[in-house]
Amino acid sequence: MTYNPNERYLTFNIKPNATLGFGVVLVILQTWADGDQMILDEIPHHNRASAEFTIRQIKQANNC
C-alpha cells in the first residue's frame, strides 16, 4: 500500500444549534491522510432533514 500525503476526505457532523436554541448546524471537516483536520464550513439548518439533503448535494458534487 502506498502512502499519499495529499489524500484527503470530507467528514460531516450534524449537531444541535445551541446558539439559537433550535435547528442544527452542519459541520464539514476535511481530513488528510496524516490525521490533520480542518473545519471547512459550519452551515446552520432549520432541521436535520435539510442538513442531510445538503450532505447528499456536497457528496454528489464531489463524487464521493
Side-chain angles (χ1 to χ4, degrees):
M1 184 171 152
T2 60
Y3 175 74
N4 181 359
N6 295 323
E7 182 179 353
R8 56 187 180 254
Y9 57 92
L10 297 177
T11 305
F12 304 95
N13 295 322
I14 300 174
K15 63 181 185 176
N17 190 342
T19 305
L20 294 178
F22 67 92
V24 296
V25 176
L26 172 61
V27 180
I28 304 170
L29 295 169
Q30 187 172 22
T31 306
W32 280 267
D34 62 358
D36 289 343
Q37 288 186 333
M38 177 178 75
I39 296 176
L40 289 180
D41 206 355
E42 293 182 350
I43 307 169
H45 287 277
H46 289 288
N47 54 41
R48 185 175 184 88
S50 64
E52 290 173 353
F53 178 75
T54 302
I55 292 171
R56 287 192 302 271
Q57 286 182 321
I58 292 170
K59 285 182 177 181
Q60 186 178 23
N62 290 314
N63 295 321
C64 293

